[in-house]
């Protein structure tokens, strides 16, 4: 029998894949060794991974928040601070505690008083500032000691110091991972056909998870979101790969021995699994185009995780099957997954009704999802679980109200401009108060930047006027203001903070000597002024803290941030010289990046998946129908927050929509591919029923894992970002499963003509293939094999074959090769 060029190409491809599969199976001990070494390294390296806990760190470098963070890091020192609330105490007790805290050497200031902002309803609020920068470990040590000293009281602590939030999230994700492991084990036992396949799958998953986690070390720093959910999402996204290979092995093992079935199954699974992974990767690639850097961070982590899942399935799992092969034969059991013929019959009966109803639902969902109440901070979100920090913030907020402030940074050099700017801002109803050098009280009613003459200084510090005059002369020389030396000092005034700090330097250098009492006063004044200057004045910029009467986010807040630029710009030659940093600014920047990223993620994910589907189905109509179903599921998913009037953190949409499009589309591919095959030999009703019975085990296995994993993350995490991703992923996958089971079949039946007319598959004349002797048959065939055969075959036939091969290929095999790799033998007939 002569073979066409196309058939010859397929035969060579199959032969090459068989050789690769044979090498992997027969050299399994080598791969065990290599993977074992890699696992040991990755288990150790996973502890070296650096995690970034600040979402603002992933904003574009040009975003105002990023500019502000860099500016504050270069120009200012931020000292450690904490709010400590002590409940159920009298005012006298509160005063005593305040004095005890203030007497600590590591505390430089405690703000407390009898005003409602610090003592209310038998609760006291202490605003503590430590003597060290906030990244100094001594601040956390001091706070720990204060906690210990107040252990007999009801206390609530709120601070930005340390990585307490990261530690809490890490502990929560350990619980989530353990629960997901139980879920996976339960699902695998329920959906398996042999108990011994469960450890094969679990070991494969475990190896890929460790490899993915350990190799994050090479990325340098990853976000806490990626660090927390990658392993769980990796399992949910890539579980299909191992299940496809395992099912293929069991199918081949019906006619071949363990080793032979392992090799043949691997050779067929590699291209099939790689094709399946492309849609998932395509959806994740969309996240790499996000302007907000956390999208790229998470996409890289997940794509890398999928790569290691493929590696584990192709290189590690074949060896595991050889190890557990006999046990798999001995532990076979009846499948627990029922047939769902009733669903197929329902779909057939409703094929005319469901598609228009679905289109109506999709249109409504599109408009509802566009009104989804996205938020860009955590202030409006209530998670199902509240951690210690969240509880403390809530208690402090309920007792003393919320505090929202931003740091306004302006060019330094003019205390007068700063004072005028603060007066104008404080006149606005949106501003509660401002805090800067120009209005910080120093002593005896003077502010830090009030200018004093030599006589006023001598009276304030109780020093001789002659000494004060000499000090001012030295200051003028140091300031190179020689005109004052010549013309006299009667009108020469110097800002209080500058003259005090200059005097302190002169004393330290031995040029000036003061008595003990005055020296103590000077030291205290200098310490307070130095701390104020470190925090509020840099070399090029001054920092003004603006306390707002506005929530952290919202249209009114964001509009006033823009107005602050305009107001300050009038004092400093335009708003381009003004920088505002803070939670509100960060959330404003996130909102602006989301406006772009929302469109980019949707368009790129659809185009990426569309490209894969076009080459898979060789039809323009089929990909459009499949994407319509999954995109409809995404819109329906994000309609729920609108309907329920619940806030959704914007990251949930960006990440879950990409994952939903990339991963859930696989369910639609399984059903549409099978239905297309069966329609060549069956009517619509029979094809739909058989398709759903075939696809249900795969969909319920993978889908239930993703749903339950999402629910676990959503219910057990106290972080709004992670919680939102879990909730949306669980709900979205559930919707996708429902649509591919109860809507997609009807759309396929109604849209058959569209699919057929938009097909660009090259048609070839129907040709009856014939073979005699030993003939290898692979694919969907109709014809005679010593009798009539209609069905999918993967067999060696010794005899005569006359059949039409509509999908696959058929060719004669030489008697000495039998078209199998070396060492493969057919199972003996019983």
């Amino acid at each position: 029998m002569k073979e066409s060029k196309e058939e010859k190409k397929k035969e060579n491809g199959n032969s090459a894949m068989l050789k690769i599969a044979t090498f992997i199976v027969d050299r399994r001990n080598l791969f065990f060794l290599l993977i074992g070494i890699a696992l040991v390294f990755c288990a150790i390296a996973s502890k070296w991974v650096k995690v970034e806990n600040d979402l603002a760190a992933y904003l574009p470098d040009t975003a105002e928040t990023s500019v502000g963070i860099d500016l504050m890091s270069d120009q200012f020192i931020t000292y450690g601070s904490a709010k400590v609330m002590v409940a159920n105490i009298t005012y006298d007790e509160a005063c005593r505690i305040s004095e005890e805290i203030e007497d600590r050497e590591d505390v430089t200031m405690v703000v407390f008083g009898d005003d409602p902002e610090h003592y209310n309803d038998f609760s006291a609020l202490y605003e503590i500032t430590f003597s060290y920068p906030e990244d100094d470990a001594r601040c956390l040590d001091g706070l720990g000691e204060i906690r210990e000293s107040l252990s007999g009281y009801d206390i609530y602590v709120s601070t930005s110091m340390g990585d307490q939030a990261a530690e809490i999230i890490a502990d929560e994700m350990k619980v989530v991972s353990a629960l997901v492991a139980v879920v996976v084990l339960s699902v695998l036992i329920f959906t398996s056909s042999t108990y011994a396949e469960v450890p094969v799958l679990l070991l494969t998953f475990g190896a890929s998870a460790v490899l993915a986690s350990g190799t994050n070390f090479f990325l340098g720093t990853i976000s806490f979101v990626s660090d927390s959910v990658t392993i769980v999402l990796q399992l949910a996204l890539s579980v299909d790969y191992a299940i496809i290979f395992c099912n293929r092995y069991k199918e081949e093992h019906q006619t071949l021995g363990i080793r032979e079935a392992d090799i043949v199954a691997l050779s067929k699974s590699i291209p099939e699994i790689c094709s399946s992974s492309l849609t998932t990767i395509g959806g994740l690639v969309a996240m790499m185009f996000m302007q907000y850097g956390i999208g790229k961070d998470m996409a890289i982590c997940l794509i890398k995780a999928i790569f290691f899942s493929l590696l584990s399935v192709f290189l590690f799992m074949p060896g595991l099957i050889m190890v557990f092969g006999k046990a798999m034969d001995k532990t076979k059991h009846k499948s627990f997954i029922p047939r769902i013929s009733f669903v197929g019959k329902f779909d057939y009966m409703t094929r005319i009704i469901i598609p228009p109803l679905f289109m109506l639902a999709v249109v409504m969902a599109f408009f509802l999802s566009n009104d989804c109440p996205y938020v860009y901070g955590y202030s409006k979100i209530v998670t199902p679980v509240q951690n210690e920090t969240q509880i403390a913030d809530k208690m402090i907020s309920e007792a003393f109200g919320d505090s929202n402030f931003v740091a306004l940074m302006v060019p330094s050099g003019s205390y007068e401009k700063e004072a005028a700017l603060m007066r104008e801002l404080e006149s606005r109803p949106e501003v509660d108060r401002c805090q800067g050098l120009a209005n910080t009280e120093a002593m005896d009613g003077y502010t830090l930047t009030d200018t004093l003459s030599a006589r006023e200084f001598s009276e304030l510090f109780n020093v001789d006027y002659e000494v004060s005059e000499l000090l001012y002369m030295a200051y003028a020389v140091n300031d190179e203001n020689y005109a004052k030396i010549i013309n006299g000092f009667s009108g020469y005034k110097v800002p209080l903070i500058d003259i005090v700090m200059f005097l302190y330097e002169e004393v330290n250098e031995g040029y000036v000597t003061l008595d003990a009492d005055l020296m103590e006063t000077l030291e205290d004044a200098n310490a307070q002024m130095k701390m104020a200057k470190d925090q509020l004045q840099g070399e090029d910029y001054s920092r003004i803290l603006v306390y707002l009467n506005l929530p952290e986010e919202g249209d009114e807040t964001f509009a006033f941030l823009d107005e602050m630029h305009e107001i300050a710009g009038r004092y400093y030659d335009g708003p381009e010289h003004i920088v505002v940093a803070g939670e509100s600014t960060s959330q404003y920047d996130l909102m602006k990046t989301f406006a772009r990223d929302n469109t980019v993620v949707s368009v790129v994910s659809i185009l990426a998946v569309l490209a894969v589907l076009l080459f898979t189905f060789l039809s323009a109509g089929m990909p459009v129908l499949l994407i319509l179903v999954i995109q409809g599921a995404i819109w329906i998913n994000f309609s729920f927050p609108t309907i329920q009037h619940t806030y959704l953190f914007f990251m949930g949409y960006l990440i879950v929509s990409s994952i939903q499009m990339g991963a859930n589309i696989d369910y639609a591919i399984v059903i549409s591919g099978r239905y297309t095959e069966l329609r060549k030999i069956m009517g619509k009703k029979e094809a739909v029923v058989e398709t759903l019975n075939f696809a249900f085990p795969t969909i319920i296995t993978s889908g239930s894992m993703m749903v339950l994993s999402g629910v676990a993350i959503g219910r057990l995490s106290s972080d709004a970002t992670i919680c939102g991703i879990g909730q949306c992923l669980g709900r979205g996958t559930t919707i996708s499963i429902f649509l591919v089971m109860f809507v997609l079949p009807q759309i396929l039946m109604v849209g058959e003509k569209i699919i057929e007319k938009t097909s660009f598959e090259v048609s070839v004349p129907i040709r009856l293939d014939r073979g005699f002797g030993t003939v290898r048959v692979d694919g969907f065939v109709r014809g005679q094999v010593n009798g009539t055969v209609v069905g999918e075959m993967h067999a060696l036939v010794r005899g005569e074959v006359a059949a039409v091969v509509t999908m696959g290929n058929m060719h004669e095999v030489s008697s000495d090769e039998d078209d199998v790799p070396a060492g493969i033998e057919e199972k003996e007939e019983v």
Side-chain angles (χ1 to χ4, degrees):
M1 180 179 63
K2 291 185 179 180
E3 297 176 324
S4 67
K5 291 183 179 180
E6 186 65 27
E7 289 172 330
K8 189 68 176 178
K9 183 178 179 181
K10 289 183 179 179
E11 180 183 355
N12 292 337
N14 291 339
S15 177
M17 199 59 70
L18 279 168
K19 290 178 181 178
I20 294 172
T22 303
F23 177 81
I24 293 172
V25 172
D26 289 346
R27 299 293 185 273
R28 56 187 176 276
N29 290 332
L30 171 63
F31 290 108
F32 282 159
L33 176 62
L34 294 176
I35 291 174
I37 294 172
L39 288 174
V40 172
F41 171 79
C42 289
I44 297 172
S46 62
K47 302 184 183 301
W48 302 338
V49 179
K50 296 180 181 179
V51 179
E52 174 58 64
N53 299 306
D54 186 7
L55 290 175
Y58 290 92
L59 283 165
D61 293 338
T62 55
E64 187 172 20
T65 298
S66 300
V67 174
I69 290 173
D70 292 341
L71 195 60
M72 288 192 291
S73 176
D74 293 339
Q75 298 277 321
F76 310 102
I77 297 175
T78 301
Y79 286 86
S81 63
K83 290 183 178 180
V84 177
M85 175 179 140
V86 182
N88 303 314
I89 59 171
T90 64
Y91 181 70
D92 291 338
E93 285 181 288
C95 291
R96 180 181 57 79
I97 291 172
S98 177
E99 291 173 0
E100 290 178 357
I101 296 175
E102 197 164 10
D103 288 341
R104 293 179 58 89
E105 292 184 359
D106 54 2
V107 173
T108 188
M109 182 171 59
V110 177
V111 178
F112 175 73
D114 60 357
D115 55 279
E117 293 182 356
H118 293 95
Y119 186 81
N120 182 36
D121 196 20
F122 295 99
S123 295
L125 179 63
Y126 306 101
E127 298 182 49
I128 303 171
T129 302
F130 292 92
S131 305
Y132 316 107
E134 63 179 354
D135 56 356
D136 193 313
R138 289 175 291 182
C139 292
L140 284 175
D141 293 340
L143 182 58
E145 292 175 6
I146 292 173
R147 280 176 181 266
E148 183 64 27
S149 67
L150 299 174
S151 59
Y153 297 90
D154 295 331
I155 64 170
Y156 303 93
V157 179
S158 175
T159 181
S160 60
M161 298 187 301
D163 292 328
Q164 186 177 6
E167 294 171 3
I168 291 172
I169 292 171
D171 291 338
E172 289 174 349
M173 292 311 298
K174 288 177 183 177
V175 176
V176 171
S177 298
L179 181 59
V180 169
V182 173
V183 167
V184 169
L185 181 61
S186 303
V187 171
L188 289 179
I189 291 175
F190 178 78
T191 58
S192 66
S193 59
T194 168
Y195 292 117
E197 75 183 61
V198 175
V200 172
L201 296 174
L202 290 178
L203 287 170
T204 303
F205 299 152
S208 62
V210 173
L211 290 171
S213 177
T215 50
N216 285 334
F217 164 70
F218 296 105
L219 300 178
T221 301
I222 63 173
S223 71
F224 74 93
V225 181
S226 300
D227 184 59
S228 300
V229 302
T230 294
I231 291 180
V232 177
L233 293 181
Q234 175 187 9
L235 171 62
L237 291 171
S238 60
V239 64
D240 285 349
Y241 310 151
I243 293 174
I244 288 172
F245 179 32
C246 188
N247 289 341
R248 177 67 75 175
Y249 164 75
K250 288 183 289 186
E251 179 183 339
E252 297 294 339
H253 190 40
Q254 293 176 5
T255 58
L256 297 172
I258 294 174
R259 173 179 173 274
E260 296 77 18
D262 198 5
I263 293 172
V264 175
L266 180 60
S267 69
K268 294 178 179 178
S269 296
I270 289 176
E272 183 179 356
I273 292 171
C274 288
S275 176
S276 175
S277 68
L278 287 177
T279 54
T280 303
I281 293 173
L284 295 174
V285 165
M287 292 166 58
M288 298 184 69
F289 288 85
M290 287 170 54
Q291 191 176 16
Y292 187 36
I294 206 167
K296 182 178 180 180
D297 175 81
M298 197 164 185
I300 291 174
C301 288
L302 284 173
I303 291 173
K304 179 171 63 65
I306 289 174
F307 169 76
F308 282 110
S309 295
L310 294 173
L311 203 66
S312 295
V313 170
F314 296 155
L315 302 182
F316 188 47
M317 191 172 170
L320 293 176
I321 288 178
M322 293 298 296
V323 174
F324 287 90
K326 292 183 180 179
M328 291 171 68
D329 292 340
K330 294 177 181 178
T331 58
K332 291 181 180 179
H333 62 80
K334 183 179 178 181
S335 175
F336 300 119
I337 302 178
R339 290 177 63 82
I340 55 167
S341 300
F342 67 93
V343 176
K345 294 176 182 177
F346 170 82
D347 289 348
Y348 179 75
M349 291 172 57
T350 59
R351 64 189 183 280
I352 305 300
I353 302 172
I354 294 297
L357 291 178
F358 172 68
M359 293 303 299
L360 178 63
V362 167
V363 172
M364 292 175 60
F366 171 76
F367 289 105
L368 286 172
S369 63
N370 281 342
D371 291 331
C372 185
Y374 297 112
V375 292
Y376 308 92
Y378 293 173
S379 59
K380 295 182 179 180
I381 298 178
V382 178
T383 56
V385 177
Q386 296 281 297
N387 61 46
E388 180 183 346
T389 301
Q390 290 170 324
I391 293 172
D393 290 339
K394 181 180 179 181
M395 295 297 292
I396 293 173
S397 174
E398 290 178 351
F400 299 99
D402 293 320
S403 176
N404 179 28
F405 70 92
V406 294
L408 172 62
M409 284 164 280
V410 298
S412 59
S414 174
Y415 295 138
E416 291 79 10
K417 287 183 179 180
E418 290 178 34
L421 173 59
M422 284 190 284
R423 284 194 297 270
E424 181 172 351
L425 287 173
E426 288 179 332
S427 69
R428 297 295 301 265
E430 296 91 348
V431 177
D432 177 39
R433 59 190 171 89
C434 296
Q435 182 69 54
L437 283 181
N439 69 349
T440 299
E441 187 175 345
M443 51 202 308
D444 291 353
Y446 287 106
T447 66
L448 290 175
T449 60
D450 281 345
T451 55
L452 280 71
S453 65
R455 184 166 298 280
E456 289 170 329
F457 180 82
S458 70
E459 294 172 355
L460 178 63
F461 281 88
N462 195 24
V463 298
D464 292 338
Y465 175 69
E466 291 77 9
V467 174
S468 178
E469 195 173 41
L470 288 173
L471 175 65
Y472 270 63
M473 184 180 296
Y475 184 88
V477 171
N478 185 71
D479 197 38
E480 298 183 355
N481 196 341
Y482 303 111
K484 292 298 180 183
I485 301 175
I486 297 171
N487 299 328
F489 292 94
S490 59
Y492 183 39
K493 291 189 175 185
V494 179
L496 176 59
I497 186 173
D498 294 340
I499 194 64
V500 168
M501 296 185 73
F502 177 73
L503 174 59
Y504 185 79
E505 291 178 2
E506 295 293 294
V507 170
N508 278 345
E509 292 176 6
Y511 298 122
V512 178
T513 303
L514 302 175
D515 60 53
D517 290 341
L518 184 56
M519 188 63 198
E520 184 178 353
T521 301
L522 179 64
E523 286 178 343
D524 290 342
N526 180 78
Q528 295 294 334
M529 291 179 182
K530 181 180 184 304
M531 178 169 286
K533 189 169 184 178
D534 286 343
Q535 297 186 86
L536 299 174
Q537 186 179 52
E539 183 177 348
D540 304 306
Y541 277 84
S542 292
R543 178 163 60 174
I544 300 171
L545 302 182
V546 183
Y547 292 82
L548 303 174
N549 293 319
L550 297 169
E552 281 190 0
E553 66 175 297
D555 293 340
E556 186 180 4
T557 303
F558 297 155
F560 187 68
L561 291 178
D562 289 335
E563 195 169 351
M564 282 179 61
H565 286 81
E566 297 298 327
I567 294 171
R570 292 199 293 267
Y571 293 86
Y572 295 96
D573 301 325
E576 64 274 9
H577 299 104
I578 308 303
V579 179
V580 181
E583 285 296 326
S584 293
T585 305
S586 174
Q587 291 164 32
Y588 191 21
D589 286 336
L590 290 173
M591 185 195 74
K592 288 184 282 190
T593 62
F594 177 65
R596 171 191 176 275
D597 290 343
N598 185 9
T599 303
V600 170
V601 167
S602 299
V603 172
V604 174
S605 61
I606 289 174
L607 291 177
V609 172
L610 180 63
V612 175
L613 295 182
L614 282 173
F615 287 100
T616 300
F617 290 101
L618 300 177
S619 166
M622 179 70 85
V624 171
L625 294 178
L626 299 188
I627 289 175
L628 174 64
V629 172
I630 300 303
Q631 186 61 52
I634 293 173
W635 286 331
I636 294 173
N637 185 15
F638 291 99
S639 298
F640 277 79
T642 305
I643 297 170
Q644 297 171 342
H645 301 289
T646 56
Y647 294 107
L648 174 66
F649 193 65
F650 78 105
M651 283 287 294
Y653 176 81
L654 292 175
I655 292 175
V656 174
S657 61
S658 297
I659 293 174
Q660 200 173 344
M661 177 57 73
N664 292 174
I665 196 77
D666 284 346
Y667 308 153
I669 292 173
V670 170
I671 288 178
S672 56
R674 188 69 172 185
Y675 176 78
T676 303
E677 290 181 12
L678 294 179
R679 276 293 288 131
K680 296 178 180 179
I681 59 170
M682 295 181 182
K684 290 183 178 180
K685 183 176 182 180
E686 294 80 6
V688 166
V689 171
E690 289 303 316
T691 293
L692 293 182
N693 281 325
F694 166 80
F696 183 64
T698 300
I699 294 175
I700 198 63
T701 302
S702 173
S704 61
M705 288 184 187
M706 188 173 288
V707 170
L708 294 173
S709 297
V711 170
I713 294 173
R715 298 296 303 177
L716 297 178
S717 176
S718 61
D719 182 83
T721 306
I722 298 171
C723 175
I725 291 172
Q727 290 174 342
C728 295
L729 182 64
R731 183 176 61 231
T733 304
T734 302
I735 294 169
S736 296
I737 292 173
F738 178 83
L739 292 184
V740 299
M741 298 294 291
F742 290 96
V743 175
L744 178 61
Q746 291 93 319
I747 291 178
L748 292 175
M749 284 185 276
V750 173
E752 277 188 354
K753 291 185 178 179
I754 297 175
I755 296 170
E756 182 180 347
K757 290 183 178 180
T758 57
S759 174
F760 49 84
E761 184 176 6
V762 178
S763 299
V764 294
I766 296 177
R767 179 172 61 84
L768 188 65
D769 291 323
R770 294 183 178 276
F772 183 78
T774 301
V775 183
R776 178 78 194 188
V777 182
D778 285 290
F780 188 88
V781 302
R782 177 186 294 139
Q784 292 184 338
V785 183
N786 290 331
T788 301
V789 174
V790 176
E792 187 171 348
M793 293 185 61
H794 300 282
L796 281 175
V797 179
R798 290 191 173 89
E800 185 175 0
V801 179
V804 176
V805 183
T806 55
M807 293 184 66
N809 65 84
M810 184 182 88
H811 59 274
E812 290 184 357
V813 180
S814 60
S815 59
D816 58 336
E817 293 181 359
D818 277 1
D819 194 34
V820 292
I824 289 185
E825 297 177 0
E826 297 165 88
K827 263 191 170 182
E828 294 182 4
E829 295 184 1
V830 180

